[in-house]
Every structure is written in C-alpha cells, then in structure tokens.
Amino acid sequence: MRKKILLFLLVFANLSAEAEISGKTLIRDALDKHLFERSAWKGLIHATVDNRPSINDPSFLLSYPEFTPEKELIATINALYDDNHQTAAKFRCKYPARYLWLQQELNIAAPVKFDGSNTCRELKQYFEKTSYDTISLIYVSENVADPASMMGHVFFKISGKNERGEMRAHAVSFYTVIDTVNLPKLLVKSLITGMNGYFSLQPYKEVVYRYNVLENRNVWEYALSLSEKQKRLLYYHFWELKDIKLKYLFAGYNCATIIDDMLYIVNDKNSRQRFFWVTPKDVVKKVNKAGLVKKSNLLPSDMWYLKMLLNEIPDEKKEKILEIFRHKSYENIKNFQFSEVPSQRMIEKELFSQYARYLYHHQKIGEDEYREAMQLMSRLHISTKNYQFDISQYKNPLKTNNDSRMELGYGKNNTWFFTFLPASNTLTSDNREYFGETSLQIGEVRLRMKNDTLKIDNFNLYCMSSLIPWDSFTNPLSKDFCLNYEKHYDKNLHSYHAWNISFGLGASKQISEDILVFSLLHLGLAYGDRRVYAYTYPEAGFMMYEIFNMKTTFRYKYLYNQDDSKSGYHDVSFVQSLFLNKKHNIEFSVENQYNGDDSNQNYILSYVHYF
C-alpha cells in the first residue's frame, strides 16, 4: 500500500513546482544528450531500426505524419511542459512512461500533480487494480493447425499485491481476431493489408485456462530480472498503448514485434538490429540470452502433461488405469498396485489425477464423477515424501532451432538449389524439443539453378504437419495441410508445376523414444498443365534419431490421378540429417518417383543454417 502511494505521489504531485521549468531549456538539454538516439526512447515510441514509426496512429505519435525520433522527442517535451498546466497534466496522464523517462534522463526532480481529470482518474484506477511487483514474459506454445496461433504467442504478465493487499495477476497482450474462414482472403489480410490489432488487460487466470485447457497449449512463464525503474517504465508504457489503433501482420507487425520493441525500454544496451520477421520464440530467446530471465515456470496443457506422464509408465499399468475410467469403476482405484519406487509412485498417482482433470475439462465426464475420482485419490494417502516432479526442462522452447532457415544444396546433373524458409521448421529438422514431429513452412521458396538458368522449384505459401503420437487415453489424430506451388507428374513422369491444396489425416505411433512411425491419407485439388483435377495419395513413413546427433526421415507415397491421368506412381524419399549444432546442419536426400515404365531419381547434398 505504502509503495503504491509513494509511486502515485512521485508521478502526480506538485505541478506548480515545475512552472519555472522552460520547455525550450529541456529541449536543448535533451538534444545535447542525443536522447532521441537512445534505444529506450525508440522503444517507448516504437520506432523501427531505420527510424520509421511502427505505430502509425496520430493519437500515439505527437509528430505524426512528419515523424522522426527527434521530432517526437521535441513534441513530447513541448506537450509535457506546456505553459498551460491543464494541458501539461493531460499529456502527463496520457504518457506517464515518456514523462517518467524524461524526468530521469534530464534530472528533473519535481513530479506532476494529479488534477482529477477523467484521463487521470482512469490511470489511478489502473494503479489501484493492478500491480507490477513482478513482470514476466509469457510464451504460449504454437498450434500449427490454427492459423491464428501457428507461431505461438508472447505477452506480458504483471502481478503482485494491489492497494488493498490482494494478490492480482493480469495479462497484457497484443493480438488479432480471425474473422474469416476464406483462406485466400485471410492470407491477403494477414500478410499484406493487415488486420485490426488489439491490446487487452485481462485476468491472467482466465487467459491461462483458455490456452492450457481449451487450446491444449503450454504456457511458459519467464520472470524478468528488472530494477524498480525498469519495471515502472514498462508498467506505465502498457497504459500508453491502451487506445491506439494498430494493424496486425503475421510477418510484419505481430505480438512478437511489439513486445520486442517494448523490451528495448528496459535493455538500453541491446542492438536494435533484427531480421524482417520476429517470432515469439525469437523474443524469448533474446531475453534469455540478455540475462533478463530471473526464473522460469511451465504451466503445461492438459494433453501435453498427460502425454508426458504416459511416457513414464509401463503399458500394463496404463491399461489398468484406463480400464478404471472406461468402466467408471472409481472404487477400484484403491486396489491399484502402485509402485514401490517413490518417484514412480508419484508419477502413477499424478496420472490418475491428471486423466480425471483432462476428462472433466473436455466434458467427457461430469462434475460428480470428477469429484468422486479425486476424493478417492485423496483418501489413498500415497507417500511421495522427498520427491518432486520437475517438468520445467522437458521439451523446452529455448532449446529449439531458431525460426528461420536457409539451405544451399548441390544435386544431380550439376544442379544447385537454394531454399529460404522465413518460418519455421520441417520434418527433417531436430524436433526433439517438440511433442511429436511437427513442421510449419510459411513463405518457403526453393530455387533451382542449372546451366545458368534460375527457376522456382517449389513455393510453400502455408504448409503444416502435426504428427502427434497416438495413445488410448487422448486418441489424437495426425494431420497435414499444404497450400503451395509444387511439382506434379503426368503418367509418363514428366514434371510440371501446379498450384496445389491438399489435406491429410491419419495416425502416428511412438515405437520408442527415438522412433516415430506414421500413416496418412491425403486428398488434393490442383491446377496445372492447363487443367483442374483432384487426386489422392496414402503416405507412410518414419523418423528415427540416431547416434552422433543424426536423424533419418523416410516417406513413401502412392499418388493417384495427378494431371487427371487416371494412373498412379510411387514416390520414395530418404533424408539423412546431421545436426552439427542448433544453427548448422548437413542433409543428404534421395528421392525416386517410379511406375511400371518410367522413373526419376534425384539426390541433393545440402548445408542448412538456422538464424
């Protein structure tokens, strides 16, 4: 309570004490110190690396449309130190972070007075209802099957005791809403014209429930190691963004981009150089590399946590647990033979509880059944003393490859290949920090050069694969979707390019920790060779991780009716990957298409770089 009162008095106290301060003098001092070049200032006004505005909203930028960081600094000082005290107070209530930062950088002692205006009343309510004792960066794992969350999500959490001494936690998030099922329209809006972006302040508990339970996505919490000054600046800056109008672009200005901008406020020494596409994982990795993470915590999704537990229990015990829930014979829980080993006993007990929660949250059992199962579990008095179940390092996003990839390859007949994938990974990548094998290829282009002629070999506008291991508890399906421009073949195996959309559905099985097999049935619709045709193909294959940090990917397809040929051909591919480290790979691939009369073979040796 005392801390909040002091904070409020610091920002809004005695306006008359500043009456003698000259705006012209402050501008001269600010320009002499080159404050407009500071990374923190550019973070506060969301200026790009080349000093253009990321937020093109005149209600946010005082110098718009003739914006530069220097002009914005001058306009801000003129507004905050206007000779009219009411005007100055209004802008100080609107831009408390800018005001606080300038006050610190220009060594101005006198704070502004709260004058009871509507804007400042709202700001006071923000101070009363929220707290910034701890500020955390939150990463939500990706859902590659959902265009709105295919790259994951990142936002801030502010938490602590409010003025009444009550613990409160809120999510501060930038997001968009998918308002169409028309895929071409969605692609144009999300990649070119932009969609409406929104800032929200929501109860954190509600946000986590939506991600963990309704969307089956993990939530990682990274508590930031910040000084009181840094936390206060971020906390005030959240307020400054509440009413602005933004355009959300998946590749240009997304949740990661704006969070990355804000982090420059508290990391003034950090270079503002960055690649054209910033992803949520990029932001988390950058913060971790900068040493700003004080501690981390994983809030696992229902399905992810359940599957992790299933990996640690023998099949015969899993079947007995499943039978209890399948027949709703919850009384038999007391007859279950728990392990004598404390760590294993803990996992078995946790599996009972987690499966009950999973069934209840997904409306497969009612509340009464859920309570009955949980009460029976609580009466067992199973000792798990001195054992803690640590899941914080299991499938850690900080250990994954970066989200952009370049590949240079040399193949048959003196052919060179160059592939650029802006985001994010393929089935031949090192996916051991994901659950199952997943791929996401957005805007991937592959060029082929032969005899000094450069051509497009393949273009993946949006392709995803989600090969989640099947189990009898959750029964997940594996799926595949692709919208691309790719090679197809006629009945004589002559290639041509076609615009293609395809969808696959099937199942995957984890044979061992290092081997996953899968089978999918695909349906496709394509336009190529001046005709539209439907086609189909079953696919089967496996991924195997081996010694010396290697991975084998094998896929077999039988494609029927490409080019409306009423015939089919076999397609077999083999890729051997050698993971030198998280940034550098070597891949050797062999592919063969054949039917009864003709065949095509190709091989490529590639160097892969992740960045």
Side-chain angles (χ1 to χ4, degrees), residues 82-220:
D82 192 282
D83 292 338
N84 185 311
H85 290 180
Q86 290 185 346
T87 300
K90 181 186 73 172
F91 281 108
R92 291 169 184 180
C93 292
K94 184 176 181 179
Y95 299 109
R98 296 192 196 187
Y99 176 65
L100 182 62
W101 186 78
L102 287 169
Q103 180 187 17
Q104 294 163 345
E105 296 300 320
L106 296 174
N107 299 315
I108 303 171
V112 67
K113 181 181 179 182
F114 169 58
D115 66 351
S117 68
N118 289 333
T119 302
C120 288
R121 277 203 295 268
E122 292 177 0
L123 180 55
K124 185 179 180 182
Q125 290 173 359
Y126 172 64
F127 289 164
E128 291 172 348
K129 294 180 179 179
T130 62
S131 177
Y132 69 95
D133 291 342
T134 300
I135 296 183
S136 302
L137 189 66
I138 308 300
Y139 171 73
V140 183
S141 64
E142 67 282 341
N143 180 354
V144 296
D146 181 359
S149 56
M150 57 190 174
M151 295 300 298
H153 185 46
V154 65
F155 59 94
F156 285 107
K157 171 190 175 185
I158 52 175
S159 58
K161 290 184 178 181
N162 64 10
E163 292 188 357
R164 299 186 183 92
E166 303 164 329
M167 286 299 301
R168 289 290 183 264
H170 290 84
V172 182
S173 182
F174 175 55
Y175 66 99
T176 190
V177 175
I178 302 295
D179 57 0
T180 178
V181 295
N182 184 323
L183 187 58
K185 181 179 179 182
L186 175 61
L187 290 170
V188 170
K189 291 181 66 175
S190 63
L191 298 175
I192 301 173
T193 61
M195 299 180 289
N196 290 331
Y198 305 94
F199 271 97
S200 68
L201 179 71
Q202 297 174 276
Y204 183 66
K205 185 177 181 180
E206 295 178 8
V207 174
V208 170
Y209 180 84
R210 182 175 77 247
Y211 289 130
N212 272 174
V213 177
L214 302 182
E215 299 184 13
N216 282 314
R217 299 166 66 186
N218 289 342
V219 175
W220 290 83

Side-chain angles (χ1 to χ4, degrees), residues 251-263:
Y253 203 69
N254 53 41
C255 63
T257 318
I258 200 163
I259 297 295
D260 192 43
D261 282 343
M262 284 190 269
L263 287 169

Side-chain angles (χ1 to χ4, degrees), residues 256-448:
T257 318
I258 200 163
I259 297 295
D260 192 43
D261 282 343
M262 284 190 269
L263 287 169
Y264 287 113
I265 298 171
V266 297
N267 192 18
D268 207 359
K269 296 179 181 179
N270 191 19
S271 169
R272 291 187 58 80
Q273 291 296 121
R274 65 190 183 200
F275 294 106
F276 70 97
W277 191 332
V278 180
T279 69
K281 272 196 296 188
D282 289 338
V283 174
V284 172
K285 288 181 178 181
K286 181 186 290 188
V287 167
N288 184 64
K289 186 177 180 180
L292 291 178
V293 176
K294 182 165 55 178
K295 63 179 180 178
S296 63
N297 182 46
L298 169 61
L299 304 176
S301 73
D302 275 2
M303 181 180 288
W304 187 92
Y305 190 35
L306 181 59
K307 286 182 136 317
M308 187 195 68
L309 294 169
L310 289 171
N311 284 344
E312 305 298 322
I313 295 180
D315 288 341
E316 61 271 16
K317 287 200 171 185
K318 287 191 285 191
E319 186 60 32
K320 290 179 181 178
I321 295 173
L322 187 61
E323 283 297 309
I324 290 174
F325 284 95
R326 185 179 290 158
H327 298 291
K328 301 183 179 181
S329 53
Y330 304 121
E331 285 290 338
N332 290 335
I333 292 176
K334 62 185 179 184
N335 300 322
F336 183 80
Q337 296 298 313
F338 286 91
S339 173
E340 296 297 323
V341 180
S343 60
Q344 190 66 23
R345 187 163 62 243
M346 171 70 176
I347 293 173
E348 291 167 358
K349 179 181 177 182
E350 189 67 16
L351 178 58
F352 267 111
S353 300
Q354 180 59 26
Y355 191 43
R357 282 191 291 268
Y358 172 81
L359 294 174
Y360 174 61
H361 287 156
H362 290 77
Q363 300 179 344
K364 296 182 179 181
I365 62 173
E367 185 174 355
D368 292 341
E369 292 180 49
Y370 171 66
R371 291 184 181 278
E372 179 186 356
M374 298 301 285
Q375 287 172 0
L376 287 168
M377 281 297 302
S378 66
R379 294 173 191 163
L380 292 177
H381 303 295
I382 300 171
S383 175
T384 56
K385 188 178 180 180
N386 299 325
Y387 181 76
Q388 292 182 338
F389 194 40
D390 183 15
I391 62 174
S392 61
Q393 297 304 311
Y394 187 72
K395 308 294 184 184
N396 193 330
L398 294 176
K399 298 178 181 179
T400 60
N401 294 113
N402 290 336
D403 281 328
S404 299
R405 159 179 167 143
M406 291 190 298
E407 179 179 344
L408 179 64
Y410 178 76
K412 187 178 178 181
N413 297 326
N414 296 319
T415 305
W416 289 91
F417 296 90
F418 175 76
T419 305
F420 175 57
L421 174 59
S424 115
N425 65 302
T426 70
L427 290 178
T428 63
S429 301
D430 186 351
N431 294 322
R432 283 174 288 190
E433 294 299 331
Y434 297 94
F435 205 94
E437 291 287 335
T438 64
S439 74
L440 177 63
Q441 295 150 277
I442 305 174
E444 181 184 39
V445 60
R446 184 186 192 188
L447 304 176
R448 179 182 77 250

